[in-house]
């Protein structure tokens, strides 16, 4: 293997290792323990999203207040069960709303994926160029292989002729020995 081939093989293996790295890194060192990674920007809520969040919290609080009022106004088993379910679901719903406001925005995730796609496209272009550069060397190696194969076949024929000549020589030597006796 020539120096150029070794360098090409080393470069190709490095490119392959780069391509095998994960597209999105898992950042386990986040201080809050939430699902978002440091590669994405935190969600910046628009005024409409902030209004929606406030409306959800107000409605959850209103649901809790209505459940508590229904306990006082109409104390029956069915009202206690329905009110209890509403009261239990309210904190969970508030928690989920808070988590949804903290997740990375779809736009930032899309931008990160687009950057990765562009980077990978560049890597593919580089690898295509390297393949194009290696094609002449591969063709030259194929020609050399064919020449070596031809030489090997020719020498095989020469070896067969030599073996035949050796056998003829043995026969001639046997005849000469017989004639000398």
């Amino acid at each position: 293997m020539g120096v150029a081939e070794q360098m090409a093989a080393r470069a190709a293996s490095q490119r392959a290792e780069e391509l095998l790295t994960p597209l999105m890194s898992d950042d386990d060192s986040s201080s809050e323990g939430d699902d978002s990674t440091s590669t994405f920007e935190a969600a910046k809520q628009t005024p409409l999203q902030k209004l929606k969040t406030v409306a959800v919290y107000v409605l959850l609080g209103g649901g809790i207040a209505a459940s508590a009022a229904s306990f006082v106004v109409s104390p029956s088993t069915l009202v206690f069960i329905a009110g209890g379910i509403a009261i239990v679901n309210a904190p969970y719903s508030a928690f989920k709303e808070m988590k949804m406001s903290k997740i990375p925005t779809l736009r930032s995730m899309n931008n990160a994926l687009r950057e990765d796609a562009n980077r990978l496209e560049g890597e593919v272009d580089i690898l295509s160029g390297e393949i194009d550069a290696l094609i002449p060397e591969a063709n030259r190696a194929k020609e050399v292989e064919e020449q070596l194969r031809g030489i090997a076949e020719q020498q095989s024929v020469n070896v067969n002729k030599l073996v035949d000549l050796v056998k003829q020589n043995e026969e001639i030597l046997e005849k000469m020995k017989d004639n000398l006796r």
Side-chain angles (χ1 to χ4, degrees):
M1 190 182 256
V3 174
E5 293 171 347
Q6 289 176 349
M7 289 175 57
R10 188 177 313 126
S13 67
Q14 287 174 347
R15 295 280 184 214
E17 287 177 15
E18 289 174 4
L19 292 176
L20 291 176
T21 58
L23 294 178
M24 301 174 132
S25 61
D26 293 332
D27 189 7
D28 295 333
S29 63
S30 64
S31 60
E32 296 178 4
D34 57 359
D35 296 335
S36 64
T37 60
S38 63
T39 58
F40 299 116
E41 60 191 45
K44 295 176 183 166
Q45 291 187 337
T46 63
L48 185 63
Q49 290 171 331
K50 288 180 182 178
L51 180 64
K52 178 199 157 264
T53 301
V54 169
V56 167
Y57 291 143
V58 167
L59 288 174
L60 287 173
I64 291 173
S67 295
S70 68
F71 293 159
V72 175
V73 173
S74 177
S76 70
T77 307
L78 189 58
V79 170
F80 285 124
I81 292 173
I85 291 173
I87 290 173
V88 169
N89 281 331
Y92 178 73
S93 298
F95 173 76
K96 283 305 210 181
E97 180 65 28
M98 182 182 65
K99 288 297 254 184
M100 286 190 321
S101 68
K102 287 185 178 181
I103 61 172
T105 62
L106 185 59
R107 183 180 312 260
S108 66
M109 289 174 63
N110 195 14
N111 289 339
L113 290 174
R114 185 175 294 121
E115 288 174 9
D116 283 340
N118 290 338
R119 182 183 57 81
L120 289 174
E121 187 175 325
E123 295 291 330
V124 166
D125 291 342
I126 290 170
L127 287 175
S128 296
E130 289 177 3
I131 288 171
D132 291 342
L134 290 175
I135 286 176
E137 288 188 37
N139 291 337
R140 191 166 15 112
K142 186 183 279 186
E143 290 173 6
V144 169
E145 180 184 1
E146 289 172 2
Q147 290 174 354
L148 289 174
R149 193 178 305 271
I151 292 171
E153 288 175 4
Q154 185 180 14
Q155 287 182 354
S156 173
V157 170
N158 289 342
V159 169
N160 290 337
K161 285 183 181 178
L162 184 61
V163 168
D164 288 340
L165 288 174
V166 169
K167 287 181 182 179
Q168 286 178 358
N169 189 26
E170 283 181 19
E171 291 174 6
I172 292 172
L173 286 174
E174 288 292 323
K175 288 180 183 177
M176 288 174 69
K177 284 182 184 178
D178 287 341
N179 285 338
L180 289 174
R181 290 187 194 164

